[in-house]
């Protein structure tokens, strides 16, 4: 949550630093309709750090319904004067900046016709940049958009003679054509390596001039998902090296497979605990990592006599087809190793 | 292991060195009385092994009161063909030396070697305790302790298992039991004994459930919020699309049109109603007018009718008047007849009365005569009665007095007789003339005198003779006679008579008088049964009646001539009366009818006159004319109205006001429902807006998001804990199972040895051992018994058998065994002891057994007589040695 505020702050700072004419938000400024008053106030207060106009349309998460986050914000009086929420599909001209905005706000959560159609026939002042602002799926362009709602024609920039069409909805950074871009979410929120975490700096010299688009990284946390298989002894060392190289404050999801000795397992847990402290979040799945006790383990842990038999029984259970049983056996083995190593302190040394 | 020699010095009761020598394999029995030092020797062996030579806590080893003593023990024993020689000195000049063959160890090193060999521990501080004794604690049994087996087995457990692990292979675990305890602890933090969640797991499960509930509630709220938003959107749209057009206005206009048409039709209907009412009124007026005319006609008829009636009444009156004179005459005639008959009856009655009075008068006269006679007779009788009663009164003789008088006379007579008898008889026969005087009485002639008293007889001239009559009673008699005579005289006086005869005569007379009185009285009774006074009054009454009747008769007129028949007269009167009555009635009826006729006649006359006057009056005639005029007028009006109504009805039917009414209703309803819909929408919109504003302010989505994340986090944690709990459960089960398997592997050989000995004592019996290798259940002939439940004697036997079995087990594992028994099996009965001797002898084949006892006779036969002569001999030596210190003064 906190990260989302931070990114607004960063965008405002970047906009101020780059002295842009306006900041366009192509929908989903908020990811839900019903937010606490505090969240609304805080967001708008952070936006106010950039003095120029914020031009915002509602997306599918914050659609301009009969009662919405926008009516709520109005009621609260939270929206600063420089934030323009375009709730209706009507031309909005910013004379000072010489920008004519053609917005396609969502007034329902989902529509099945192209809300940008009217752009084609809309007239704008000749001296203003003609900018489209829409939220939805460009038909046939996005991997998951086969029959996605809120369709947008891929040729819209051309048919509507737009200087630029700013799109929202897709979480990653994506260019559709010369004048049409998805900026993606400025703060990543899922494990997908699709270039999320950026804003686009769009420079257009004059109407009809081609836009100059530069992505800027504003996201605070990297979402890193890694999948390692431990097969030979050196794999563990490689894993440790890689873990140390991860950027700080990342959100890490680690899945380990393969097999490991009891002693290495203990080392692995110690290392993971140490690495965890450096990141915003480090989760690891060890369910597919089989503990493979060695003679050395058993000797070091003094797992002699029937305890040794138990170790062997658990090891075999790990290999059983039943996932849950295997998982329980793995856990039991780890606990056993832990208990034994506590009673045989020399092992740790 | 075999101890060959034992020496103690300055040790407890042995202040001087004492040595047991030449100990052999198998059983070594030492007997001696109490306090001869057997237990001290056992103590010495234990101290040599268990106590650290440096220990300061062993002052009890010094002889009593000798704090300068340095207790010393030397033990020589053989083990695996090596000779071990242990020398230990406590408290003073402490030493420990161990010589194994030629190899020398001393101090702690020597002690550790011993502990390793035998399997026991040293106390870290102070004197050695039971828990340190390990295997020797089990096999070396102190006095009175052989029946306690469980604790020593527990203390020896670890050493036993590690000693036995050699034979069993590498299956025991160094830290296994401790590990199980720790796994149990870890598991207990998450699960209860029965596998229910507890501690953090339970808490987190509850938290998860709570969150889930919250989440469901929130989801529900969010859902409601979304539905409401959609509804609001829909309403707003409808308001824009429908309500802004005011679709109800056309309907309002149509309704108004229909209302106007309806009003026109209704006006016609009202007029129609009015005319219909007028027609109705016209009809009733006609009716009334016709009625009036009919009335006039009736009156005319009435007049002629009354005329007829008048004539008829006059005729009836005349008819009636004809009879008046005739009837009057007839009545007067009847009255005269009746008067005559009445007079005749009166005369007849008077005659009868007079005759009756005369008859009464005659009867009274007769009665009066009778009464008079009665009256006279009665008076006479009464007078006679009075006289007789007076007579009776004067001559009354009392019966008692009379009887007394008679008795007195009788007694006097008797006395007289007796006087005659006893009296002196003086018979004299005087010469005639000659007289003598007897008591002055001159006597002459012949006679006899009875002398009852002195009597003087004067014979004139001769003198006087005095005679005194003798006899004794003479005087009594005289006196009695005098008394009786006096009494008789008194009675006579009372009876007013002079003699008895007179009295009796009186009595007779009285009887006659009384009879006479009775007679008179009877007659009187007959004459006057109600008394004499009644007779008198009857007489007087009759006299008066007679008098009055006579007077009455005198007043009556003389009787007419000839007899009158009263009944005839009466009949005549009744007839006359009836005739009169009929006449009177007829007269009365006639008069009444006459009056009636007169009244009728008069009334008919009046009626006729009244009607006549009325009909003849000018008003009546003008009214009749008016009515006729009105009739024709009304008939014209009726005709006119009928036509008007018929025409108007056609107009009304064509307008159809019922359908018009429906039209008005239909159009109005349509307009109203549209308006209502619009109004309801407005209300719902504002309600929803308020509601959504409130819900919106709650930050539902955000809260939902937060809780979802928290729920996810907790769910992960719960899953981890559950996995850990399952893993601990699995681990614990596996550890226990494997330990169980191990224990069973240890149990089997132990069981075998136990059963071997047990069969010598109870053929066919078995003794089970628990997981800690402790004997547990004794089964004899299908009868199970816990060891603790057995008798003391049996427990002793089981204790010894178990120990021997452990010794066998250790022996098989190549461990040293030595069995020391101090006064064991004292509670065994003879028979069992014999069996136990077999057991012991059998054990002696494999182990050295040192046995101390104060009952030599009990242990005879242990080892079988002369074959073990060396032992017996040695025993004797020991006996002597042991006795020595006892004899020494302390």
């Amino acid at each position: 949550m906190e990260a989302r505020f931070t990114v607004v702050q960063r965008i405002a700072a970047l906009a101020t630093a780059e002295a842009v004419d306006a900041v366009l938000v192509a929908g989903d400024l908020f990811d839900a309709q019903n937010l606490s008053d505090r969240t609304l106030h805080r967001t708008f207060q952070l936006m106010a750090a950039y003095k120029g106009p914020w031009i915002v349309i509602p997306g599918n998460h914050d659609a301009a319904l009969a009662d919405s986050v926008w009516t709520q914000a109005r009621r609260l009086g939270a929206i600063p004067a420089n934030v323009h929420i375009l709730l209706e599909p009507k031309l909005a001209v910013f004379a000072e900046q010489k920008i004519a905005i053609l917005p396609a706000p969502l007034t329902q959560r989902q529509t099945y016709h192209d809300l940008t159609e009217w752009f084609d026939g809309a007239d704008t002042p000749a001296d203003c940049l003609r900018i489209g602002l829409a939220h939805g799926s460009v038909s046939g362009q996005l991997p998951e958009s086969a029959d996605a709602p809120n369709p947008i024609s891929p040729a819209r920039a051309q048919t509507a003679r737009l200087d630029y069409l700013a799109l929202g909805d897709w979480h990653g950074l994506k260019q559709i054509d010369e004048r049409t871009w998805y900026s993606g979410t400025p703060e990543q929120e899922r494990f997908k390596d699709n270039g999320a975490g950026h804003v686009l700096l769009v420079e257009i010299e004059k109407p009809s001039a081609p836009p100059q688009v530069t992505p800027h990284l504003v996201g605070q946390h990297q979402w890193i998902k890694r999948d390692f298989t431990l097969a030979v002894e050196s794999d563990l060392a490689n894993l440790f090296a890689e873990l140390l190289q991860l950027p700080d404050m990342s959100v890490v999801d680690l899945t380990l497979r393969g097999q490991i000795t009891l002693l290495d397992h203990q080392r692995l847990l110690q290392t993971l605990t140490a690495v965890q402290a450096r990141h915003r979040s480090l989760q690891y799945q060890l369910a597919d990592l089989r503990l493979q006790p060695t003679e050395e383990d058993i000797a070091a842990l003094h797992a002699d006599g029937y305890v040794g038999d138990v170790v062997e029984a658990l090891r075999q259970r790990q290999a059983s087809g039943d996932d849950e049983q295997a998982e329980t056996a793995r856990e039991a083995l780890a606990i056993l190793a832990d208990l034994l190593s506590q009673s045989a302190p020399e092992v740790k040394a | 292991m075999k101890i060959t020699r034992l020496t103690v010095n300055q040790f407890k009761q042995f202040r001087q060195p004492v040595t047991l020598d030449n100990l052999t394999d198998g059983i070594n029995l030492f007997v001696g009385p109490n306090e001869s030092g057997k237990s001290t020797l056992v103590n010495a062996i234990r101290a040599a092994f268990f106590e650290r030579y440096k220990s300061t806590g062993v002052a009890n080893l010094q002889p009593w009161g000798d704090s300068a003593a340095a207790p010393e023990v030397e033990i020589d024993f053989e083990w695996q063909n090596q000779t071990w020689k242990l020398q230990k000195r406590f408290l003073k000049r402490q030493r420990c030396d161990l010589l194994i063959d030629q190899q020398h160890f001393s101090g702690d090193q020597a002690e550790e070697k011993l502990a390793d060999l035998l399997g026991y521990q040293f106390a870290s501080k102070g004197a050695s305790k039971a828990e340190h004794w390990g295997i020797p604690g089990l096999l070396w049994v102190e006095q009175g302790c052989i029946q306690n087996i469980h604790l020593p087995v527990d203390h020896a457990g670890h050493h036993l298992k590690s000693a036995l692990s050699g034979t069993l292979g590498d299956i025991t675990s160094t830290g296994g039991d401790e590990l199980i305890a720790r796994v149990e602890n870890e598991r207990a933090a998450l699960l209860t004994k029965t596998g229910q969640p507890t501690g953090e797991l339970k808490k987190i499960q509850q938290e998860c459930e709570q969150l889930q509930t919250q989440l469901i509630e929130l989801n529900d709220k969010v859902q409601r919020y979304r539905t409401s938003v959609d509804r609001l959107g829909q309403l707003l749209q409808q308001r824009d699309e429908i309500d802004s057009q005011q679709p109800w206005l056309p309907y309002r206009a149509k309704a108004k049109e229909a209302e106007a048409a309806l009003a026109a039709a209704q006006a016609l209907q009202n007029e129609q109603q009015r005319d219909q009412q007028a027609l109705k009124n016209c009809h009733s007026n006609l009716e009334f007018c016709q009625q009036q005319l009919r009335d006039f006609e009736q009156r005319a008829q009435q007049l002629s009718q009354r005329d007829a009636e008048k004539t008829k009444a006059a005729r009836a009156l005349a008819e009636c008047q004809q009879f008046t004179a005739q009837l009057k005459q007839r009545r007067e005639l009847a009255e005269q007849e009746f008067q005559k008959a009445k007079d005749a009856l009166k005369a007849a009655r008077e005659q009868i009365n007079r005759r009756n009075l005369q008859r009464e008068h005659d009867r009274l006269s007769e009665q009066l005569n009778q009464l008079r006679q009665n009256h006279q007779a009665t008076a006479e009788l009464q007078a006679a009665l009075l006289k007789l009663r007076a007579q009776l009164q004067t001559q009354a003789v009392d019966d008692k007095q009379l009887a007394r008088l008679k008795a007195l006379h009788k007694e006097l007579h008797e006395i007289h007789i007796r006087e005659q008898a006893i009296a002196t008889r003086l018979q004299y026969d005087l010469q005639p003339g000659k007289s003598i005087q007897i008591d002055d009485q001159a006597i002459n002639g012949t006679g006899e005198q009875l002398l009852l008293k002195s009597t003087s007889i004067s014979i004139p001239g001769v003198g006087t003779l005095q005679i005194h009559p003798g006899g004794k009673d003479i005087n009594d008699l005289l006196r009695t006679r005098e008394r009786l005579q006096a009494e008789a005289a008194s009675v006579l006086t009372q009876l007013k008579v002079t003699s008895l005869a007179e009295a009796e005569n009186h009595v007779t007379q009285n009887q006659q008088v009384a009879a006479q009185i009775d007679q008179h009285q009877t007659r009187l009774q007959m004459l006057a049964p109600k008394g004499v006074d009644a007779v008198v009054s009857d007489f007087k009454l009759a006299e008066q009646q007679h008098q009055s009747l006579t007077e009455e008769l005198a007043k009556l007129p003389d009787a007419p001539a000839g007899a009158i028949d009263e009944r005839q007269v009466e009949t005549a009167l009744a007839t006359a009366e009836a005739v009169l009555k009929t006449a009177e009635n007829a007269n009365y009826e006639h008069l009444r009818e006459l009056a009636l006729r007169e009244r009728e006649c008069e009334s008919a006359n009046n009626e006729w006159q009244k009607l006549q006057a009325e009909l003849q009056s000018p008003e009546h005639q003008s009214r009749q004319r008016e009515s006729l005029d009105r009739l024709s007028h009304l008939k014209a009006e009726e005709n006119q109205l009928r036509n008007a109504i018929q025409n108007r009805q056609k107009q009304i039917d064509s307008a159809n006001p019922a359908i018009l009414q429906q039209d008005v209703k239909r159009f109005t309803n349509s307009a109203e429902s549209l308006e209502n819909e619009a109004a309801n929408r407005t209300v719902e919109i504002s309600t929803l807006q308020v509601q959504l504003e409130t819900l919106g302010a709650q930050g539902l989505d955000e809260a939902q998001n937060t809780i979802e994340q928290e729920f996810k986090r907790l769910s992960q944690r719960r899953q981890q804990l559950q996995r850990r709990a399952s893993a601990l459960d699995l681990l614990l089960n596996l550890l226990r199972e494997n330990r169980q398997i191990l224990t069973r592997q240890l149990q089997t050989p132990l069981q075998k040895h136990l059963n071997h000995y047990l069969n010598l004592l109870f053929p066919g019996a078995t003794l089970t051992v628990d997981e800690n290798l402790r004997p547990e259940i004794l089964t004899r002939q299908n009868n199970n018994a816990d060891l603790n439940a057995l008798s003391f004697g049996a427990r002793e036997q089981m204790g010894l058998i178990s120990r021997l079995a452990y010794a066998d087990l250790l022996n098989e594992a190549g461990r040293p065994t030595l069995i020391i028994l101090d006064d064991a099996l004292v509670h065994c009965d003879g028979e069992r002891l014999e069996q136990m001797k077999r057991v012991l002898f059998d054990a002696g084949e494999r182990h050295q057994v040192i046995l101390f006892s104060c009952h030599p006779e009990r242990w005879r036969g242990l080892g079988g007589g002369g074959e073990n002569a060396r032992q017996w001999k040695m025993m004797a030596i020991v006996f002597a040695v042991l006795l020595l210190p006892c004899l020494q003064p302390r």
Side-chain angles (χ1 to χ4, degrees), chain B residues 87-103:
Chain B
Q87 278 187 301
K88 225 174 197 180
R89 191 158 62 227
F90 298 97
L91 298 167
K92 313 284 175 202
R93 303 182 308 284
Q94 299 149 329
R95 276 198 71 85
C96 175
D97 294 292
L98 177 65
L99 204 62
I100 308 173
D101 279 349
Q102 296 310 312
Q103 206 178 350

Side-chain angles (χ1 to χ4, degrees), chain B residues 267-283 637-649 651-652:
Chain B
L268 278 178
Q269 275 179 319
N270 287 345
E271 250 173 85
Q272 186 79 334
Q273 256 177 13
R274 268 202 303 279
D275 275 6
Q276 271 164 347
Q277 187 58 45
L279 183 59
K280 220 165 149 192
N281 290 347
C282 181
H283 278 152
E637 191 187 342
E638 187 198 9
N639 223 3
Q640 189 193 343
L641 281 170
R642 271 191 205 286
N643 287 337
I645 287 171
Q646 208 169 357
N647 291 335
R648 198 180 293 110
Q649 191 58 43
Q651 280 179 298
I652 292 170

Side-chain angles (χ1 to χ4, degrees), chain B residues 749-768:
Chain B
L750 179 61
Q751 196 78 58
K752 185 187 87 191
H753 293 295
L754 270 174
N755 290 347
H756 166 75
Y757 290 116
L758 202 58
N759 266 319
L760 295 175
L761 193 60
F762 308 122
T766 53
L767 182 61
T768 62

Side-chain angles (χ1 to χ4, degrees), chain A residues 53-132:
Chain A
W54 290 76
I55 304 169
V56 181
I57 58 164
N60 58 328
H61 285 111
D62 53 2
L65 304 174
D67 187 271
S68 67
V69 70
W70 308 113
T71 54
Q72 192 186 349
R74 284 264 155 74
R75 277 200 295 272
L76 289 175
I79 305 172
N82 62 328
V83 177
H84 307 274
I85 316 290
L86 307 182
L87 297 177
E88 287 172 60
K90 283 196 302 197
L91 172 69
V93 178
F94 294 82
E96 194 186 323
Q97 286 84 6
K98 292 194 186 309
I99 304 172
I101 299 289
L102 297 171
L106 283 176
T107 53
Q108 291 164 28
R109 291 182 196 95
Q110 293 182 346
T111 60
Y112 295 93
H113 65 272
D114 189 345
L115 294 176
T116 60
E117 247 171 40
W118 72 280
F119 291 1
D120 293 0
D123 287 328
T124 52
D127 61 340
C128 287
L129 290 177
R130 190 175 159 89
I131 309 278

Side-chain angles (χ1 to χ4, degrees), chain A residues 32-36 39 65-67 72 75 109 304-307 309-310 314 317 327 331-332 339 342-343, chain B residues 171-174 176-177 179 182 225 229-230 232-233 692-693 696 699-702 723-724 727 730 734 738-739:
Chain A
Q33 290 284 17
N34 207 326
L35 302 176
S36 69
T39 303
L65 304 174
D67 187 271
Q72 192 186 349
R75 277 200 295 272
R109 291 182 196 95
D304 54 353
Y306 66 84
V307 178
D309 294 345
V310 171
L314 289 173
R317 268 172 187 254
E327 176 67 21
E331 179 82 17
L339 287 175
Q342 281 172 29
S343 53
Chain B
I171 56 164
T172 54
S173 174
T174 349
D177 289 0
L179 184 66
R182 284 169 63 192
Y225 171 77
V229 169
D230 291 348
L232 181 60
L692 288 172
E693 217 169 288
L700 290 176
D701 282 336
E702 199 174 327
R723 196 191 305 142
R724 184 174 167 81
L730 173 67
L734 282 175
N738 280 279
R739 185 178 184 280

Side-chain angles (χ1 to χ4, degrees), chain B residues 3-8 18-20 23 41 44-45 73-75:
Chain B
I3 294 182
T4 50
R5 183 173 161 277
L6 167 70
T7 302
V8 296
V18 168
T19 300
L20 284 186
L23 275 75
L41 290 177
I45 296 172
V73 185
E74 277 181 41
I75 299 176

